[in-house]
PDB file of all heavy atoms in Angstrom:
ATOM      1  N   THR H 111     -19.218  -2.079   2.424  1.00  0.00           N
ATOM      2  CA  THR H 111     -20.527  -1.510   2.745  1.00  0.00           C
ATOM      3  C   THR H 111     -20.518  -0.744   4.055  1.00  0.00           C
ATOM      4  O   THR H 111     -21.509  -0.104   4.403  1.00  0.00           O
ATOM      5  CB  THR H 111     -21.607  -2.605   2.811  1.00  0.00           C
ATOM      6  OG1 THR H 111     -21.230  -3.555   3.814  1.00  0.00           O
ATOM      7  CG2 THR H 111     -21.762  -3.308   1.469  1.00  0.00           C
ATOM      8  N   THR H 112     -19.388  -0.809   4.777  1.00  0.00           N
ATOM      9  CA  THR H 112     -19.250  -0.078   6.041  1.00  0.00           C
ATOM     10  C   THR H 112     -17.846   0.506   6.126  1.00  0.00           C
ATOM     11  O   THR H 112     -16.913   0.043   5.451  1.00  0.00           O
ATOM     12  CB  THR H 112     -19.453  -0.991   7.267  1.00  0.00           C
ATOM     13  OG1 THR H 112     -18.375  -1.942   7.321  1.00  0.00           O
ATOM     14  CG2 THR H 112     -20.799  -1.706   7.230  1.00  0.00           C
ATOM     15  N   ALA H 113     -17.703   1.499   6.983  1.00  0.00           N
ATOM     16  CA  ALA H 113     -16.388   2.101   7.213  1.00  0.00           C
ATOM     17  C   ALA H 113     -15.413   1.069   7.782  1.00  0.00           C
ATOM     18  O   ALA H 113     -14.262   0.998   7.356  1.00  0.00           O
ATOM     19  CB  ALA H 113     -16.519   3.293   8.151  1.00  0.00           C
ATOM     20  N   ALA H 114     -15.872   0.269   8.722  1.00  0.00           N
ATOM     21  CA  ALA H 114     -15.000  -0.735   9.334  1.00  0.00           C
ATOM     22  C   ALA H 114     -14.491  -1.731   8.297  1.00  0.00           C
ATOM     23  O   ALA H 114     -13.305  -2.097   8.297  1.00  0.00           O
ATOM     24  CB  ALA H 114     -15.737  -1.463  10.458  1.00  0.00           C
ATOM     25  N   GLU H 115     -15.357  -2.158   7.407  1.00  0.00           N
ATOM     26  CA  GLU H 115     -14.952  -3.092   6.356  1.00  0.00           C
ATOM     27  C   GLU H 115     -13.936  -2.435   5.416  1.00  0.00           C
ATOM     28  O   GLU H 115     -12.959  -3.065   5.002  1.00  0.00           O
ATOM     29  CB  GLU H 115     -16.174  -3.571   5.580  1.00  0.00           C
ATOM     30  CG  GLU H 115     -15.861  -4.603   4.521  1.00  0.00           C
ATOM     31  CD  GLU H 115     -17.079  -5.004   3.692  1.00  0.00           C
ATOM     32  OE1 GLU H 115     -18.198  -4.502   3.925  1.00  0.00           O
ATOM     33  OE2 GLU H 115     -16.886  -5.831   2.780  1.00  0.00           O
ATOM     34  N   ALA H 116     -14.138  -1.169   5.085  1.00  0.00           N
ATOM     35  CA  ALA H 116     -13.198  -0.455   4.218  1.00  0.00           C
ATOM     36  C   ALA H 116     -11.819  -0.376   4.876  1.00  0.00           C
ATOM     37  O   ALA H 116     -10.794  -0.574   4.206  1.00  0.00           O
ATOM     38  CB  ALA H 116     -13.715   0.935   3.894  1.00  0.00           C
ATOM     39  N   LEU H 117     -11.783  -0.105   6.159  1.00  0.00           N
ATOM     40  CA  LEU H 117     -10.498  -0.024   6.855  1.00  0.00           C
ATOM     41  C   LEU H 117      -9.819  -1.390   6.913  1.00  0.00           C
ATOM     42  O   LEU H 117      -8.591  -1.479   6.797  1.00  0.00           O
ATOM     43  CB  LEU H 117     -10.667   0.576   8.245  1.00  0.00           C
ATOM     44  CG  LEU H 117     -11.122   2.042   8.258  1.00  0.00           C
ATOM     45  CD1 LEU H 117     -11.294   2.536   9.688  1.00  0.00           C
ATOM     46  CD2 LEU H 117     -10.179   2.935   7.469  1.00  0.00           C
ATOM     47  N   GLU H 118     -10.591  -2.455   7.040  1.00  0.00           N
ATOM     48  CA  GLU H 118     -10.019  -3.810   6.990  1.00  0.00           C
ATOM     49  C   GLU H 118      -9.418  -4.073   5.608  1.00  0.00           C
ATOM     50  O   GLU H 118      -8.316  -4.636   5.499  1.00  0.00           O
ATOM     51  CB  GLU H 118     -11.082  -4.861   7.307  1.00  0.00           C
ATOM     52  CG  GLU H 118     -11.512  -4.907   8.746  1.00  0.00           C
ATOM     53  CD  GLU H 118     -12.696  -5.841   8.990  1.00  0.00           C
ATOM     54  OE1 GLU H 118     -13.085  -6.606   8.076  1.00  0.00           O
ATOM     55  OE2 GLU H 118     -13.243  -5.796  10.106  1.00  0.00           O
ATOM     56  N   GLN H 119     -10.131  -3.677   4.551  1.00  0.00           N
ATOM     57  CA  GLN H 119      -9.615  -3.851   3.190  1.00  0.00           C
ATOM     58  C   GLN H 119      -8.330  -3.043   3.008  1.00  0.00           C
ATOM     59  O   GLN H 119      -7.355  -3.540   2.440  1.00  0.00           O
ATOM     60  CB  GLN H 119     -10.654  -3.408   2.153  1.00  0.00           C
ATOM     61  CG  GLN H 119     -11.843  -4.320   2.035  1.00  0.00           C
ATOM     62  CD  GLN H 119     -12.900  -3.766   1.074  1.00  0.00           C
ATOM     63  OE1 GLN H 119     -12.935  -2.572   0.762  1.00  0.00           O
ATOM     64  NE2 GLN H 119     -13.776  -4.653   0.603  1.00  0.00           N
ATOM     65  N   LEU H 120      -8.337  -1.817   3.487  1.00  0.00           N
ATOM     66  CA  LEU H 120      -7.166  -0.951   3.374  1.00  0.00           C
ATOM     67  C   LEU H 120      -5.968  -1.560   4.101  1.00  0.00           C
ATOM     68  O   LEU H 120      -4.864  -1.637   3.542  1.00  0.00           O
ATOM     69  CB  LEU H 120      -7.476   0.440   3.925  1.00  0.00           C
ATOM     70  CG  LEU H 120      -6.342   1.454   3.915  1.00  0.00           C
ATOM     71  CD1 LEU H 120      -5.863   1.742   2.497  1.00  0.00           C
ATOM     72  CD2 LEU H 120      -6.784   2.741   4.610  1.00  0.00           C
ATOM     73  N   ASP H 121      -6.178  -1.996   5.325  1.00  0.00           N
ATOM     74  CA  ASP H 121      -5.090  -2.610   6.096  1.00  0.00           C
ATOM     75  C   ASP H 121      -4.530  -3.840   5.387  1.00  0.00           C
ATOM     76  O   ASP H 121      -3.312  -4.027   5.317  1.00  0.00           O
ATOM     77  CB  ASP H 121      -5.571  -2.995   7.493  1.00  0.00           C
ATOM     78  CG  ASP H 121      -5.847  -1.801   8.402  1.00  0.00           C
ATOM     79  OD1 ASP H 121      -5.346  -0.691   8.128  1.00  0.00           O
ATOM     80  OD2 ASP H 121      -6.588  -1.990   9.390  1.00  0.00           O
ATOM     81  N   ALA H 122      -5.408  -4.683   4.840  1.00  0.00           N
ATOM     82  CA  ALA H 122      -4.968  -5.901   4.163  1.00  0.00           C
ATOM     83  C   ALA H 122      -4.181  -5.584   2.896  1.00  0.00           C
ATOM     84  O   ALA H 122      -3.124  -6.186   2.642  1.00  0.00           O
ATOM     85  CB  ALA H 122      -6.171  -6.791   3.839  1.00  0.00           C
ATOM     86  N   GLU H 123      -4.671  -4.659   2.089  1.00  0.00           N
ATOM     87  CA  GLU H 123      -3.974  -4.314   0.850  1.00  0.00           C
ATOM     88  C   GLU H 123      -2.637  -3.641   1.143  1.00  0.00           C
ATOM     89  O   GLU H 123      -1.646  -3.901   0.454  1.00  0.00           O
ATOM     90  CB  GLU H 123      -4.842  -3.436  -0.050  1.00  0.00           C
ATOM     91  CG  GLU H 123      -6.065  -4.124  -0.611  1.00  0.00           C
ATOM     92  CD  GLU H 123      -5.791  -5.328  -1.507  1.00  0.00           C
ATOM     93  OE1 GLU H 123      -4.669  -5.463  -2.057  1.00  0.00           O
ATOM     94  OE2 GLU H 123      -6.720  -6.151  -1.662  1.00  0.00           O
ATOM     95  N   LEU H 124      -2.590  -2.799   2.170  1.00  0.00           N
ATOM     96  CA  LEU H 124      -1.330  -2.155   2.520  1.00  0.00           C
ATOM     97  C   LEU H 124      -0.316  -3.189   3.004  1.00  0.00           C
ATOM     98  O   LEU H 124       0.867  -3.126   2.628  1.00  0.00           O
ATOM     99  CB  LEU H 124      -1.531  -1.073   3.579  1.00  0.00           C
ATOM    100  CG  LEU H 124      -0.250  -0.321   3.945  1.00  0.00           C
ATOM    101  CD1 LEU H 124       0.264   0.483   2.752  1.00  0.00           C
ATOM    102  CD2 LEU H 124      -0.476   0.572   5.129  1.00  0.00           C
ATOM    103  N   ALA H 125      -0.765  -4.143   3.812  1.00  0.00           N
ATOM    104  CA  ALA H 125       0.146  -5.189   4.290  1.00  0.00           C
ATOM    105  C   ALA H 125       0.703  -5.996   3.111  1.00  0.00           C
ATOM    106  O   ALA H 125       1.906  -6.305   3.078  1.00  0.00           O
ATOM    107  CB  ALA H 125      -0.573  -6.107   5.278  1.00  0.00           C
ATOM    108  N   THR H 126      -0.147  -6.323   2.143  1.00  0.00           N
ATOM    109  CA  THR H 126       0.307  -7.047   0.946  1.00  0.00           C
ATOM    110  C   THR H 126       1.325  -6.207   0.183  1.00  0.00           C
ATOM    111  O   THR H 126       2.357  -6.718  -0.266  1.00  0.00           O
ATOM    112  CB  THR H 126      -0.887  -7.411   0.058  1.00  0.00           C
ATOM    113  OG1 THR H 126      -1.774  -8.252   0.791  1.00  0.00           O
ATOM    114  CG2 THR H 126      -0.456  -8.116  -1.218  1.00  0.00           C
ATOM    115  N   TRP H 127       1.030  -4.924   0.011  1.00  0.00           N
ATOM    116  CA  TRP H 127       1.939  -4.027  -0.697  1.00  0.00           C
ATOM    117  C   TRP H 127       3.309  -3.972  -0.009  1.00  0.00           C
ATOM    118  O   TRP H 127       4.348  -4.166  -0.649  1.00  0.00           O
ATOM    119  CB  TRP H 127       1.339  -2.625  -0.793  1.00  0.00           C
ATOM    120  CG  TRP H 127       2.292  -1.612  -1.333  1.00  0.00           C
ATOM    121  CD1 TRP H 127       2.988  -0.680  -0.607  1.00  0.00           C
ATOM    122  CD2 TRP H 127       2.706  -1.447  -2.690  1.00  0.00           C
ATOM    123  NE1 TRP H 127       3.792   0.061  -1.449  1.00  0.00           N
ATOM    124  CE2 TRP H 127       3.643  -0.391  -2.727  1.00  0.00           C
ATOM    125  CE3 TRP H 127       2.365  -2.093  -3.876  1.00  0.00           C
ATOM    126  CZ2 TRP H 127       4.241   0.033  -3.910  1.00  0.00           C
ATOM    127  CZ3 TRP H 127       2.967  -1.668  -5.060  1.00  0.00           C
ATOM    128  CH2 TRP H 127       3.886  -0.617  -5.066  1.00  0.00           C
ATOM    129  N   LEU H 128       3.328  -3.720   1.281  1.00  0.00           N
ATOM    130  CA  LEU H 128       4.599  -3.580   1.994  1.00  0.00           C
ATOM    131  C   LEU H 128       5.399  -4.880   1.993  1.00  0.00           C
ATOM    132  O   LEU H 128       6.625  -4.860   1.832  1.00  0.00           O
ATOM    133  CB  LEU H 128       4.358  -3.086   3.420  1.00  0.00           C
ATOM    134  CG  LEU H 128       3.881  -1.635   3.525  1.00  0.00           C
ATOM    135  CD1 LEU H 128       3.456  -1.310   4.958  1.00  0.00           C
ATOM    136  CD2 LEU H 128       4.952  -0.666   3.034  1.00  0.00           C
ATOM    137  N   SER H 129       4.706  -5.999   2.133  1.00  0.00           N
ATOM    138  CA  SER H 129       5.380  -7.296   2.062  1.00  0.00           C
ATOM    139  C   SER H 129       5.961  -7.518   0.664  1.00  0.00           C
ATOM    140  O   SER H 129       7.086  -8.018   0.515  1.00  0.00           O
ATOM    141  CB  SER H 129       4.389  -8.404   2.421  1.00  0.00           C
ATOM    142  OG  SER H 129       4.981  -9.665   2.271  1.00  0.00           O
ATOM    143  N   GLY H 130       5.184  -7.133  -0.349  1.00  0.00           N
ATOM    144  CA  GLY H 130       5.664  -7.272  -1.725  1.00  0.00           C
ATOM    145  C   GLY H 130       6.874  -6.401  -1.996  1.00  0.00           C
ATOM    146  O   GLY H 130       7.848  -6.846  -2.627  1.00  0.00           O
ATOM    147  N   VAL H 131       6.832  -5.168  -1.540  1.00  0.00           N
ATOM    148  CA  VAL H 131       7.976  -4.267  -1.732  1.00  0.00           C
ATOM    149  C   VAL H 131       9.201  -4.837  -1.024  1.00  0.00           C
ATOM    150  O   VAL H 131      10.296  -4.873  -1.588  1.00  0.00           O
ATOM    151  CB  VAL H 131       7.651  -2.836  -1.247  1.00  0.00           C
ATOM    152  CG1 VAL H 131       8.912  -1.972  -1.230  1.00  0.00           C
ATOM    153  CG2 VAL H 131       6.572  -2.207  -2.118  1.00  0.00           C
ATOM    154  N   GLU H 132       9.009  -5.323   0.199  1.00  0.00           N
ATOM    155  CA  GLU H 132      10.141  -5.909   0.929  1.00  0.00           C
ATOM    156  C   GLU H 132      10.739  -7.080   0.162  1.00  0.00           C
ATOM    157  O   GLU H 132      11.956  -7.247   0.102  1.00  0.00           O
ATOM    158  CB  GLU H 132       9.695  -6.351   2.320  1.00  0.00           C
ATOM    159  CG  GLU H 132      10.827  -6.883   3.162  1.00  0.00           C
ATOM    160  CD  GLU H 132      10.402  -7.228   4.582  1.00  0.00           C
ATOM    161  OE1 GLU H 132       9.194  -7.364   4.849  1.00  0.00           O
ATOM    162  OE2 GLU H 132      11.308  -7.366   5.429  1.00  0.00           O
ATOM    163  N   SER H 133       9.881  -7.895  -0.448  1.00  0.00           N
ATOM    164  CA  SER H 133      10.358  -9.075  -1.175  1.00  0.00           C
ATOM    165  C   SER H 133      11.215  -8.717  -2.395  1.00  0.00           C
ATOM    166  O   SER H 133      11.976  -9.554  -2.878  1.00  0.00           O
ATOM    167  CB  SER H 133       9.182  -9.949  -1.616  1.00  0.00           C
ATOM    168  OG  SER H 133       8.503  -9.371  -2.725  1.00  0.00           O
ATOM    169  N   LEU H 134      11.107  -7.494  -2.879  1.00  0.00           N
ATOM    170  CA  LEU H 134      11.897  -7.078  -4.032  1.00  0.00           C
ATOM    171  C   LEU H 134      13.377  -6.946  -3.705  1.00  0.00           C
ATOM    172  O   LEU H 134      14.227  -7.102  -4.590  1.00  0.00           O
ATOM    173  CB  LEU H 134      11.402  -5.727  -4.563  1.00  0.00           C
ATOM    174  CG  LEU H 134      10.020  -5.677  -5.163  1.00  0.00           C
ATOM    175  CD1 LEU H 134       9.611  -4.230  -5.426  1.00  0.00           C
ATOM    176  CD2 LEU H 134       9.939  -6.513  -6.432  1.00  0.00           C
ATOM    177  N   GLY H 135      13.682  -6.639  -2.444  1.00  0.00           N
ATOM    178  CA  GLY H 135      15.061  -6.329  -2.098  1.00  0.00           C
ATOM    179  C   GLY H 135      15.514  -5.111  -2.882  1.00  0.00           C
ATOM    180  O   GLY H 135      14.742  -4.489  -3.609  1.00  0.00           O
ATOM    181  N   ASP H 136      16.765  -4.766  -2.768  1.00  0.00           N
ATOM    182  CA  ASP H 136      17.286  -3.620  -3.514  1.00  0.00           C
ATOM    183  C   ASP H 136      17.417  -3.942  -4.999  1.00  0.00           C
ATOM    184  O   ASP H 136      17.181  -3.096  -5.857  1.00  0.00           O
ATOM    185  CB  ASP H 136      18.629  -3.165  -2.949  1.00  0.00           C
ATOM    186  CG  ASP H 136      18.472  -2.390  -1.650  1.00  0.00           C
ATOM    187  OD1 ASP H 136      17.333  -2.022  -1.300  1.00  0.00           O
ATOM    188  OD2 ASP H 136      19.501  -2.142  -0.985  1.00  0.00           O
ATOM    189  N   GLU H 137      17.765  -5.191  -5.300  1.00  0.00           N
ATOM    190  CA  GLU H 137      17.935  -5.589  -6.704  1.00  0.00           C
ATOM    191  C   GLU H 137      16.618  -5.488  -7.476  1.00  0.00           C
ATOM    192  O   GLU H 137      16.577  -4.981  -8.595  1.00  0.00           O
ATOM    193  CB  GLU H 137      18.478  -7.023  -6.769  1.00  0.00           C
ATOM    194  CG  GLU H 137      18.835  -7.469  -8.156  1.00  0.00           C
ATOM    195  CD  GLU H 137      19.452  -8.855  -8.161  1.00  0.00           C
ATOM    196  OE1 GLU H 137      20.460  -9.048  -7.453  1.00  0.00           O
ATOM    197  OE2 GLU H 137      18.916  -9.729  -8.863  1.00  0.00           O
TER     198      GLU H 137
END
Side-chain angles (χ1 to χ4, degrees):
T111 59
T112 67
E115 183 184 359
L117 295 179
E118 288 173 10
Q119 289 175 341
L120 178 62
D121 290 341
E123 293 298 339
L124 182 65
T126 299
W127 172 258
L128 290 171
S129 176
V131 170
E132 184 176 17
S133 75
L134 294 171
D136 284 349
E137 187 176 304

